[in-house]
Amino acid sequence: MTQFVFDPTKVMDIDFTKRTEYLEGLEAIKAAHKVLKEITFTPSLPDKGYNNRSLYVNVGTLEVKEKPVTQQMKDVFIGGRGFGLWHLWNAVKPTTRWNDPENEIIISPGPVAGITQYAGTGKSLVVSLSPQTDIPIDSNVGGYFGPLLKFSGFDALEIQGKSECDVIVFIDGQKGIIRIEEAPQDPVDSHVLAEVLTHMYAENQADMVNISVVCTGAAAEHSLVGMLNFSWWDLRRGCIRLKQAGRGGIGTVFRNKKIRAIVCRGPQVKGDLNHVADFETIAKTGIKYHKEIRTNDPYQCMMRRNGTAHIVEIMDAYDLLPTHNFQYGSHPDTHKIDSAYWQSRCTQKTVDGCWYGCSMACAKGADGLVVKTGPYKGHTVTVDGPEYENAAGLGSNCGVFDPDYLLELNFYCDTYGICTITYGTLCAFVMECYQRGILNKERTGGLDMTWGNAEDDLEMMHQMARGEGFGVIAGQGVKKMKELFIKNGWGDPQLINDIGMENKGLEYSQYLSKESLAQQGGYALTNKGPQHDEAWLIFMDMVNKQLPTFEAKAEALYYFPLFRTWFGLNGFCKLPWNDVVPSNNAQQPEAHKIPEHVQNYVDIFSATTGIKIDKDELIHQSAKVYNFQRVFNIRMGKGLRKDDHAPFRSLGPVTSEEYLSRQERYDKQIAEEMKLDPTAMTLEEKMAAHRSWRQGRYEQLTDAVYKRRGWTPNGVPTLERLKELGLDVFPEVVDVVKLHL
Amino acid sequence: MIQVNGDGMEWQDGLTVRGVLVYRNFRFPLLIITVNGELIQPKAYDTTLVPDEAEVQVIHLMSGG
């Protein structure tokens, strides 16, 4: 192990309080606001984690009303992503598409969200019909909005309709007021807008921490890959910070509804606003965990110093860091963007974290970045991160190893409202198409998309924000770019399909899955598309060899997606589960599940809600929502086996360069796994053998996974499975399934 | 010859657990290591000798987003 030791002398001396301010036109912006609708409500605090009501706002009709959260909703859907999916199911029809008025954006934090005694409890789950996939997307996000919404009196916020003018929805949980305001002069980009609105709606300096803004940026208006920023006020820095609900284009839906921002002003956060059933157990569990972080984190992942970027060099060492559009898994220049660099570049003399009480505190701020390009050229800004996904996606996967440019790409993604994971993968695809002559300067409108050309990479992003040029094409995402390039006859269709890293229309996140069959399934045998938050099995499968059979892989692809779904039902962050472990973890049975932490979650849920569960019931809770989401996908015309197809780049080597770069490995597999003689085969024959073998294994895995999940060979949950889960009480759910049995 | 996660590795006199990690470039910090079924604590990686024909398990705990 080559754990970097924190050396304070290596941290750059950057003034973390200095940055460009955007408050000059605040009064004029405020004066231009016009109230379109105002209602009053009675603020309330949750009882045992629930308020038992949600808030419905239609920005088209201006209808605002409270809706009850029923016992059935709580029993079946728990909260968070579950509530989002249930509201969305009831709002849309099978024919509804992302830009129809009936599509909704639902934000729900979950019953545990907002407790301040345990790490990682500030998450909101955002659900909508995705413009990229045409099925429900769920995206989890930190920042204060979800907990403040809940402490204002609502377990979920449903936004429906389409406005004719730019609007802001303001929820004042202190005064009990909800307003829809026309906002004709508000800034567009998130780092400016969130700052302006935080100052506008806070009544004084001390009130700033009670404000959270949900907003996006200019690129969300011209692309399908828009994301949502959730803000919080960083008291020590004296500025707003942003966390992102990135995946699936929810920011695009947001702007299509002409929403400029949603602002919540909650009450001052205190220790037990959830009014939990058993505070003592939560406090005791939290103290035990905080002590574990303090003692073990400096010797384990150093999350408090590095955040998730601690794995950049680790992924490189295991040949898993996506490089040049997932062609390779490592690069000689990775040291320029590894955790040692980010540790020195991110401010270390202030405490970070995106919700109160999170001792893991992995949110990091890179202060003092002077922007070199675009509309904010010359401005001094604070950038959140970069997290691992950003360093890998915007960095190595596009061949960008200049950390200042990487930070600038991260900054513009955030403020323009672009998902960093999606942008990294779509830009890497563009660059490989450029490398292989599928694209050229004529087709890109003059952009030189050579690997590592950060200036033209940034220009493509600026075009996306301006709604101009090739940036508009790139902003449609990999799936639609593939269709366009093939339609235009710009290259071999099979090659274009092989190297375009999307499944269901969503771009892959930033791990190389070629040598882990289980992770290939962890990406493509998913509900929303290839995001690693369902399952990350690469080490178990590829390195530890703990999953030697299809059945063992299928069991992992049963358990972990359900276990991780549960975080999103409750408002938990996944990171405190497994980015630190107890000192005695190695001696525990099923150590890879971190059993002590699983028990912590069981205890905290029980202590919050008063509903006693165990680790098996935890999985059962998730299984209801997971299978409901699968049926929802089928209802929307997808969710079948054909939709779980994976691009070949995720399964194995597409090109001769890829094969030759790891020839020893691939030849060995031909000899040992396929029982063929590689010395008697041409390169083309060897590549064809790999394609056949790898695709065959993926199909066998799919069979095993569907069987373990209680699905038909076409990926449809059986009626027996629905009955086991209690989903047969919903006739519409049963009707959807019956059509496919 | 020893087995490391099922793969063969040349044994040499004086091979320690740390030596196995370095040879295999196992850099991840969250590991559970057993040598012939016996759990090795991290503080003993430098001093624990790995005998010839040993079966070494280096279990990497999960990570990722």
Side-chain angles (χ1 to χ4, degrees):
Chain A
M1 294 183 294
T2 54
Q3 183 80 7
F4 292 111
V5 176
F6 176 58
D7 180 353
T9 65
K10 289 187 176 166
V11 178
M12 295 178 196
D13 186 20
I14 295 169
D15 183 352
F16 67 84
T17 64
K18 188 181 168 191
R19 64 191 56 78
T20 303
E21 289 194 353
Y22 301 97
L23 300 175
E24 199 174 331
L26 175 61
E27 289 309 317
I29 294 167
K30 188 176 179 181
H33 279 207
K34 179 183 162 192
V35 176
L36 302 176
K37 178 75 177 270
E38 178 171 305
I39 69 151
T40 59
F41 73 100
T42 305
S44 66
L45 290 170
D47 177 39
K48 300 184 183 66
Y50 290 103
N51 287 285
N52 298 314
R53 62 176 173 170
S54 63
L55 176 62
Y56 172 88
V57 176
N58 191 310
V59 294
T61 64
L62 304 182
E63 182 184 13
V64 180
K65 64 183 179 186
E66 296 176 11
K67 290 167 77 169
V69 167
T70 64
Q71 189 60 45
Q72 184 185 55
M73 279 176 68
K74 293 194 285 186
D75 290 345
V76 178
F77 298 101
I78 309 297
R81 172 173 155 192
F83 280 7
L85 289 165
W86 176 240
H87 283 306
L88 189 64
W89 175 282
N90 290 305
V92 303
K93 303 186 289 289
T95 53
T96 302
R97 289 297 170 259
W98 70 274
N99 51 357
D100 289 328
E102 62 262 34
N103 188 18
E104 290 193 341
I105 297 169
I106 303 106
I107 302 171
S108 178
V112 177
I115 69 165
T116 57
Q117 290 75 34
Y118 198 80
T121 61
K123 288 278 188 171
S124 300
L125 269 290
V126 192
V127 173
S128 188
L129 281 186
S130 162
Q132 292 193 268
T133 65
D134 293 322
I135 54 177
I137 186 80
D138 59 275
S139 200
N140 75 72
V141 55
Y144 289 5
F145 187 88
L148 292 182
L149 173 75
K150 197 166 128 179
F151 299 147
S152 296
F154 302 107
D155 297 330
L157 169 64
E158 266 183 278
I159 298 277
Q160 198 176 37
K162 284 170 83 162
S163 175
E164 291 182 358
C165 59
D166 282 345
V167 293
I168 287 172
V169 178
F170 176 50
I171 302 158
D172 189 336
Q174 293 189 28
K175 292 182 175 172
I177 294 170
I178 296 161
R179 279 203 304 268
I180 303 175
E181 302 175 6
E182 185 178 354
Q185 294 181 20
D186 284 54
V188 174
D189 293 328
S190 284
H191 80 291
V192 183
L193 180 59
E195 179 176 307
V196 165
L197 295 182
T198 299
H199 283 81
M200 188 184 294
Y201 289 101
E203 296 207 339
N204 51 55
Q205 192 69 26
D207 199 28
M208 307 278 248
V209 292
N210 303 321
I211 303 288
S212 181
V213 178
V214 179
C215 57
T216 182
E221 300 185 16
H222 307 295
S223 75
L224 299 182
V225 301
M227 62 74 170
L228 291 179
N229 284 295
F230 281 48
S231 80
W232 80 97
W233 180 253
D234 185 330
L235 199 58
R236 295 176 183 86
R237 282 185 172 85
C239 71
I240 59 99
R241 303 282 299 283
L242 301 170
K243 280 290 179 187
Q244 294 76 33
R247 304 311 322 266
I250 306 176
T252 300
V253 180
F254 195 81
R255 281 305 295 147
N256 186 260
K257 293 182 178 300
K258 288 221 166 216
I259 303 168
R260 185 59 76 196
I262 305 171
V263 183
C264 186
R265 177 173 181 248
Q268 178 73 45
V269 174
K270 295 175 190 165
D272 185 22
L273 294 185
N274 267 308
H275 293 138
V276 299
D278 174 6
F279 185 79
E280 191 183 341
T281 292
I282 290 177
K284 200 169 75 178
T285 309
I287 289 167
K288 182 180 64 168
Y289 185 83
H290 298 326
K291 189 176 169 192
E292 181 188 322
I293 284 271
R294 199 169 52 247
T295 307
N296 294 355
D297 182 57
Y299 305 101
Q300 295 183 355
C301 294
M302 298 184 77
M303 292 291 282
R304 287 173 62 83
R305 294 286 176 204
N306 301 333
T308 57
H310 81 92
I311 57 172
V312 172
E313 62 272 19
I314 291 167
M315 292 300 110
D316 187 81
Y318 288 82
D319 207 23
L320 295 167
L321 182 73
T323 304
H324 293 185
N325 193 32
F326 301 89
Q327 291 185 73
Y328 314 110
S330 60
H331 195 280
D333 288 335
T334 298
H335 65 94
K336 295 177 182 172
I337 58 167
D338 67 11
S339 68
Y341 178 79
W342 298 120
Q343 194 176 88
S344 70
R345 180 63 184 82
C346 291
T347 297
Q348 299 286 349
K349 55 191 169 189
T350 180
V351 178
D352 268 300
C354 67
W355 178 242
Y356 298 96
C358 183
S359 47
M360 184 160 269
C362 66
K364 291 283 154 281
D367 297 292
L369 179 74
V370 180
V371 180
K372 292 183 217 167
T373 71
Y376 304 106
K377 183 177 178 178
H379 292 210
T380 302
V381 298
T382 292
V383 189
D384 191 59
E387 299 200 38
Y388 165 74
E389 296 288 337
N390 306 351
L394 304 172
S396 60
N397 215 5
C398 296
V400 174
F401 292 95
D402 179 317
D404 278 348
Y405 271 123
L406 204 159
L407 278 178
E408 184 156 335
L409 286 159
N410 199 152
F411 163 73
Y412 271 116
C413 271
D414 288 352
T415 200
Y416 282 159
I418 303 169
C419 172
T420 49
I421 294 175
T422 300
Y423 186 86
T425 299
L426 74 81
C427 183
F429 173 67
V430 166
M431 287 180 163
E432 187 171 355
C433 287
Y434 196 85
Q435 173 199 338
R436 300 191 185 285
I438 297 163
L439 292 174
N440 52 40
K441 272 194 178 177
E442 188 184 341
R443 291 168 184 170
T444 62
L447 294 176
D448 173 4
M449 297 306 290
T450 305
W451 298 114
N453 186 350
E455 289 186 8
D456 282 24
D457 181 353
L458 276 161
E459 178 53 27
M460 185 171 81
M461 196 183 290
H462 296 318
Q463 289 181 356
M464 205 180 281
R466 294 194 302 264
E468 294 175 6
F470 188 76
V472 174
I473 293 171
Q476 300 303 296
V478 169
K479 183 169 189 280
K480 289 190 167 54
M481 275 196 283
K482 287 196 302 191
E483 290 166 359
L484 178 71
F485 298 170
I486 291 169
K487 182 182 158 201
N488 288 354
W490 287 352
D492 173 21
Q494 180 174 326
L495 176 66
I496 291 171
N497 280 319
D498 281 348
I499 66 174
M501 286 290 282
E502 60 84 19
N503 155 269
K504 302 176 178 69
L506 191 69
E507 286 75 8
Y508 273 67
S509 68
Q510 309 300 333
Y511 297 97
L512 211 69
S513 58
K514 287 175 195 170
E515 299 311 316
S516 168
L517 178 58
Q519 186 57 34
Q520 292 162 21
Y523 268 136
L525 303 177
T526 46
N527 270 328
K528 70 177 171 222
Q531 169 74 352
H532 53 279
D533 67 349
E534 274 207 14
W536 197 92
L537 302 173
I538 300 179
F539 281 164
M540 274 186 89
D541 190 34
M542 181 185 106
V543 183
N544 304 343
K545 314 271 175 63
Q546 288 174 290
L547 307 172
T549 64
F550 290 111
E551 288 70 28
K553 293 178 206 303
E555 183 59 35
L557 284 167
Y558 174 79
Y559 176 82
F560 287 105
L562 295 183
F563 179 68
R564 294 174 70 140
T565 290
W566 193 82
F567 293 131
L569 307 183
N570 284 286
F572 277 117
C573 172
K574 164 263 158 194
L575 298 173
W577 162 52
N578 69 342
D579 279 282
V580 67
V581 300
S583 301
N584 66 349
N585 187 64
Q587 286 98 321
Q588 306 306 309
E590 296 191 298
H592 57 286
K593 294 181 179 175
I594 328 290
E596 183 175 314
H597 289 180
V598 174
Q599 189 59 44
N600 287 352
Y601 292 119
V602 166
D603 292 343
I604 289 172
F605 179 87
S606 300
T608 300
T609 62
I611 301 164
K612 297 291 179 198
I613 64 166
D614 58 20
K615 62 182 183 179
D616 297 326
E617 176 60 19
L618 180 158
I619 295 298
H620 187 64
Q621 288 181 335
S622 287
K624 295 180 211 176
V625 176
Y626 193 87
N627 282 273
F628 178 81
Q629 189 166 353
R630 182 75 177 185
V631 176
F632 201 159
N633 287 351
I634 297 169
R635 182 187 182 217
M636 301 309 293
K638 298 202 173 176
L640 301 175
R641 189 175 185 124
K642 64 179 170 49
D643 304 299
D644 290 341
H645 173 78
F648 192 69
R649 174 61 60 72
S650 75
L651 306 184
V654 172
T655 65
S656 55
E657 301 100 291
E658 278 170 273
Y659 193 100
L660 293 171
S661 75
R662 272 78 177 156
Q663 182 166 9
E664 187 182 351
R665 174 195 298 163
Y666 295 137
D667 281 358
K668 189 177 172 195
Q669 288 168 342
I670 286 177
E672 293 182 0
E673 305 285 345
M674 301 174 222
K675 310 298 181 196
L676 298 171
D677 178 6
T679 62
M681 299 166 76
T682 66
L683 178 59
E684 289 71 27
E685 287 170 340
K686 290 193 288 189
M687 289 175 61
H690 264 279
R691 182 177 287 266
S692 172
W693 176 63
R694 286 165 182 264
Q695 286 178 332
R697 290 200 317 158
Y698 183 76
E699 293 305 318
Q700 283 180 272
L701 177 74
T702 303
D703 287 335
V705 169
Y706 286 176
K707 185 177 176 189
R708 178 63 186 93
R709 289 179 180 176
W711 298 354
T712 70
N714 196 24
V716 181
T718 62
L719 289 175
E720 292 76 22
R721 184 65 175 139
L722 294 185
K723 197 169 181 181
E724 276 172 16
L725 298 170
L727 293 174
D728 58 330
V729 300
F730 303 112
E732 272 191 307
V733 172
V734 173
D735 288 346
V736 169
V737 164
K738 276 182 176 171
L739 288 173
H740 295 276
L741 293 177
Chain B
M1 180 72 81
I2 62 170
Q3 295 288 312
V4 180
N5 289 355
D7 298 329
M9 176 180 154
E10 286 296 327
W11 179 81
Q12 57 185 12
D13 196 24
L15 179 67
T16 62
V17 168
R18 177 77 63 198
V20 172
L21 298 179
V22 170
Y23 180 81
R24 290 295 303 266
N25 200 20
F26 284 162
R27 299 174 56 160
F28 189 59
L30 299 180
L31 299 176
I32 297 171
I33 301 178
T34 58
V35 177
N36 291 329
E38 186 185 340
L39 184 68
I40 310 299
Q41 296 291 347
K43 62 187 174 190
Y45 289 172
D46 289 317
T47 53
T48 302
L49 293 174
V50 178
D52 195 8
E53 299 188 350
E55 192 165 306
V56 181
Q57 283 284 327
V58 183
I59 300 299
H60 294 56
L61 294 176
M62 222 166 295
S63 187

